[in-house]
RNA sequence: CGGGGUGUAGCGCAGCUGGCUAGCGCGCCUGCUUUGGGAGCAGGAGGUCCUCGGUUCGAAUCCGAGCACCCCGACCA
């Protein structure tokens, strides 16, 4: 992509609405814009990152035996009345009415819809297990949307549901999903912990949350890496309470570490909570009718993007982990009015593309400072700098976003080095 | 929903104790100069001062109501 033609409106100043780094940087980097409280537009750069994250999740889900589908966002009221959640979910569900005065909810989660689909199609134990997932826009009329994309009223979620004939089957699938989640968050470059959790509104009897360590997180944990123990921290109570109670590790008795965290994933053992209420049953080997044993597994896809920035940024902007960076390399011809510089930049850019490297080129007639600032702001891991000064010595320069490390190389050495850096 | 705060150009802000034609920085357009970390000069475009109502000869400024947005709390991917 050529920056001169790209719709990436960067900003020098911080919009006053944004308080935390990820929100500020996403706005400044031209990734998102606000339409309304808790409702955001993903611009091309933000959308590209979202798609990268989605693809990582998709690969791991497919690998774990789950199949992708797409369910509706419009849910008829009657379906939610079957589980009693039309009342229980209450005002948190956005509601709409059609021309015949029929009521619908905008799906905040999809247990009812998926269970309805499966109960209509899956009648025998022979058809189980089945694991289905989707990427979808969820609607939740949050009491207080905040921190930009972090807690929106409309957001992208990957939700996955497993249907088994018995508890043993569910446990196997649950473990598969936990492993898939660990793979996903590792690939996203996260420093994260898994913690046992309350099951909240979704329900069930066992659940785990996946927490990214970040000091702007809305929750907190105590953890002991030596013993692999993690527990959720209670929020300090009372207005004056700012100190956190110390926790000793139940295994080794040493003081546990404490960190604020962002919840990016949540797994639930649902049991028969939904299938029983919805008469969602199959026939077992003996011809007896039994409710499915269900599990449910969610990931906040858009939130992952924000969490990644919270965990990796500096004063100059975002520092994307290689795996989810929107582009792998940015080529910076520092002076496009200098013909050799412009030409060398264009050629290197074309060569990168021809080798399947997703590159960006800043071909704008801007000063060097502007180009460096924008490149750092949007966080591309590798800068390939072509300058009048460098070319006079027959050199170009490669500079790494994360470490600031610089390599001066001849033009022919550049591509192999970039390939090496990208694969490292 | 309870508490706190903000609303003036695309962004950041000043002006607000009642007074002329609403201002500054950044950004944007034109030209010239510049060209390794957000350039300089000159010219220019861009405003329902959140909305409605009230007080007044006169309101961005004072009063009232409403709306929007942000922050703290309960809720959650």
């Amino acid at each position: 992509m050529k920056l001169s033609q790209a719709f990436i409106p960067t900003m020098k100043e911080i919009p006053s609405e944004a308080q935390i780094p990820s929100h500020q940087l996403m706005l400044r980097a031209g990734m998102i814009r606000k339409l309304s409280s808790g409702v955001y537009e993903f611009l091309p750069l933000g959308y590209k990152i979202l798609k990268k994250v989605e693809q990582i999740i998709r690969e791991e889900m497919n690998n774990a035996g789950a199949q992708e589908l797409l369910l509706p966002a419009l849910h008829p009221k009657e379906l939610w009345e079957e589980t009693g959640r039309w009342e229980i979910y209450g005002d948190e569900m956005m509601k709409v009415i059609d021309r015949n005065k029929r009521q619908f909810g905008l799906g905040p989660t999809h247990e009812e819809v998926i269970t309805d689909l499966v109960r209509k199609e899956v009648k025998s134990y022979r058809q189980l297990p089945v694991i289905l997932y989707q990427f979808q826009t969820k609607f939740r009329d949050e009491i207080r949307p905040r921190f930009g994309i972090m807690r929106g009223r409309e957001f992208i979620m990957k939700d996955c549901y497993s249907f088994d004939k018995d508890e043993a089957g569910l446990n196997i699938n649950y473990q598969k999903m936990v492993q898939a989640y660990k793979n996903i968050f590792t690939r996203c470059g996260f420093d994260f912990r898994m913690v046992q959790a309350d099951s909240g509104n979704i329900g069930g009897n066992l659940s785990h949350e996946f927490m990214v360590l970040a000091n702007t997180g809305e929750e907190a944990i105590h953890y002991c890496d030596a013993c692999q123990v993690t527990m959720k921290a209670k929020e300090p109570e009372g207005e004056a309470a700012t100190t956190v109670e110390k926790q000793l590790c139940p295994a080794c008795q040493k003081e546990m570490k404490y960190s604020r965290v962002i919840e990016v994933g949540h797994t639930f053992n649902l049991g028969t909570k939904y299938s029983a209420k919805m008469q969602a049953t199959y026939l077992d080997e003996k011809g007896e009718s039994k409710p499915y044993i269900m599990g449910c597994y969610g990931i906040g896809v858009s939130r992952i993007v924000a969490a990644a920035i919270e965990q990796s940024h500096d004063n100059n902007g975002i520092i994307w982990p290689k795996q989810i960076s929107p582009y792998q390399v940015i080529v910076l011809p520092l002076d496009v009015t200098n013909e050799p510089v412009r030409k060398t930049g264009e050629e290197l850019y074309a060569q990168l593309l021809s080798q399947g490297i997703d590159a960006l080129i800043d071909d704008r007639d801007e000063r060097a400072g502007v180009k460096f600032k924008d490149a750092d702001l949007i966080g591309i891991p590798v800068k390939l700098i072509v300058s009048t000064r460098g070319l006079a010595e027959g050199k170009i320069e490669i500079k790494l976003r994360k470490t600031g490390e610089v390599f001066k190389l001849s033009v022919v050495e550049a591509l192999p080095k970039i390939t090496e850096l990208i694969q490292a």
Side-chain angles (χ1 to χ4, degrees):
Chain A
M1 174 53 83
K2 297 187 172 194
L3 256 186
S4 63
Q5 290 158 29
F7 185 61
I8 304 177
T10 57
M11 277 186 281
K12 211 160 149 180
E13 288 177 286
I14 304 169
S16 58
E17 75 194 50
Q19 309 295 320
I20 64 169
S22 62
H23 190 194
Q24 295 173 346
L25 290 170
M26 275 193 266
L27 289 166
R28 287 188 55 211
M31 289 172 60
I32 59 167
R33 288 292 183 264
K34 182 175 71 183
L35 179 62
S36 178
S37 180
V39 182
Y40 285 82
E41 294 141 346
F42 272 88
L43 278 50
L45 187 67
Y47 192 54
K48 196 152 195 284
I49 297 152
L50 196 65
K51 286 289 159 188
K52 286 241 172 175
V53 173
E54 256 188 41
Q55 190 51 31
I56 289 172
I57 297 172
R58 179 174 288 118
E59 286 169 17
E60 295 296 336
M61 295 310 291
N62 290 348
N63 194 37
Q67 301 171 65
E68 186 170 358
L69 49 50
L70 181 60
L71 301 170
L74 270 180
H75 299 186
K77 176 186 177 186
E78 296 75 24
L79 193 55
W80 279 70
E81 284 179 329
E82 285 190 43
T83 57
R85 283 211 298 178
W86 185 263
E87 281 298 315
I88 295 166
Y89 229 93
D91 288 340
E92 199 165 320
M93 181 145 55
M94 293 276 193
K95 287 158 189 153
V96 292
I97 300 170
D98 75 7
R99 64 177 70 204
N100 299 315
K101 303 280 193 293
R102 191 174 166 206
Q103 286 184 275
F104 290 82
L106 294 179
T109 178
H110 281 68
E111 285 80 9
E112 280 81 358
V113 171
I114 192 85
T115 303
D116 180 60
L117 172 69
V118 172
R119 74 177 166 184
K120 288 190 280 195
E121 307 303 329
V122 175
K123 309 288 191 186
S124 159
Y125 72 95
R126 291 199 181 91
Q127 295 166 283
L128 294 170
V130 133
I131 311 178
L132 302 167
Y133 76 99
Q134 64 171 341
F135 291 97
Q136 231 237 11
T137 300
K138 303 295 191 202
F139 299 88
R140 292 185 189 174
D141 195 357
E142 293 282 346
I143 299 166
R144 183 152 87 90
R146 58 175 156 177
F147 300 151
I149 223 82
M150 195 73 86
R151 172 178 301 292
R153 296 195 293 172
E154 175 179 334
F155 61 98
I156 310 287
M157 178 164 151
K158 185 282 306 179
D159 50 325
C160 177
Y161 306 89
S162 68
F163 297 83
D164 275 281
K165 59 180 182 178
D166 54 25
E167 196 68 35
L170 169 60
N171 287 339
I172 291 168
N173 283 326
Y174 195 92
Q175 287 313 316
K176 273 190 197 166
M177 286 299 138
V178 164
Q179 188 54 53
Y181 274 32
K182 288 178 177 172
N183 296 346
I184 289 164
F185 298 129
T186 301
R187 286 180 65 183
C188 288
F190 283 140
D191 185 7
F192 69 98
R193 298 292 182 283
M194 176 171 142
V195 62
Q196 199 162 30
D198 296 333
S199 36
N201 218 339
I202 311 286
N205 33 41
L206 176 68
S207 108
H208 293 90
E209 289 175 344
F210 292 79
M211 306 296 214
V212 170
L213 274 50
N215 47 29
T216 50
E218 292 183 281
E219 295 172 85
I221 57 168
H222 297 283
Y223 62 101
C224 174
D225 285 334
C227 306
Q228 304 253 337
V229 174
T230 307
M231 55 178 74
K232 291 187 80 169
K234 291 205 171 80
E235 291 298 320
E237 287 180 22
E239 285 166 36
T242 49
T243 53
V244 179
E245 254 182 71
K246 287 175 183 170
Q247 281 288 332
L248 296 183
C249 173
C252 68
Q253 306 303 321
K254 287 182 187 153
E255 191 182 320
M256 298 178 85
K257 289 186 192 162
Y258 169 86
S259 176
R260 298 208 63 85
V261 290
I262 299 165
E263 181 187 350
V264 291
H266 202 155
T267 57
F268 303 86
N269 174 329
L270 295 177
T272 59
K273 174 172 170 159
Y274 295 91
S275 50
K277 283 182 180 152
M278 294 179 68
Q279 284 88 47
T281 60
Y282 68 96
L283 291 177
D284 72 7
E285 294 90 329
K286 296 172 191 161
E288 281 178 36
S289 191
K290 297 254 177 77
Y292 311 119
I293 310 297
M294 294 173 55
C296 148
Y297 319 89
I299 290 182
V301 183
S302 37
R303 181 179 286 178
I304 282 182
V305 177
I309 297 172
E310 285 300 324
Q311 203 166 72
S312 183
H313 66 272
D314 64 15
N315 288 338
N316 291 319
I318 301 165
I319 304 171
W320 288 115
K322 269 179 243 169
Q323 306 90 317
I324 59 173
S325 180
Y327 294 92
Q328 296 166 285
V329 180
I330 182 166
V331 182
L332 301 180
L334 293 188
D335 180 4
V336 292
T337 64
N338 178 304
E339 187 54 22
V341 169
R342 189 198 62 78
K343 192 155 167 273
T344 307
E346 296 277 359
E347 283 169 2
L348 284 166
Y349 170 66
Q351 287 169 30
L352 287 166
L353 292 187
S354 73
Q355 296 201 7
I357 294 170
D358 202 0
L360 193 59
I361 181 168
D362 193 345
D363 58 336
R364 299 174 301 173
D365 184 11
E366 289 286 354
R367 296 167 61 85
V370 174
K371 296 190 179 197
F372 284 126
K373 290 290 184 187
D374 269 345
D376 286 350
L377 176 62
I378 65 177
I380 310 303
V382 180
K383 287 190 283 282
L384 203 169
I385 302 158
V386 184
S387 66
T388 316
R389 203 155 87 186
L391 285 188
E393 307 168 26
K395 302 271 181 173
I396 59 95
E397 212 173 294
I398 292 170
K399 187 166 182 179
L400 303 186
R401 174 68 180 90
K402 190 171 181 177
T403 60
E405 201 176 347
V406 173
F407 305 90
K408 289 192 179 183
L409 304 164
S410 70
V411 176
V412 290
E413 292 168 318
L415 284 194
K417 184 66 185 177
I418 285 192
T419 311
E420 177 197 323
L421 287 167
I422 285 171
Q423 284 164 358

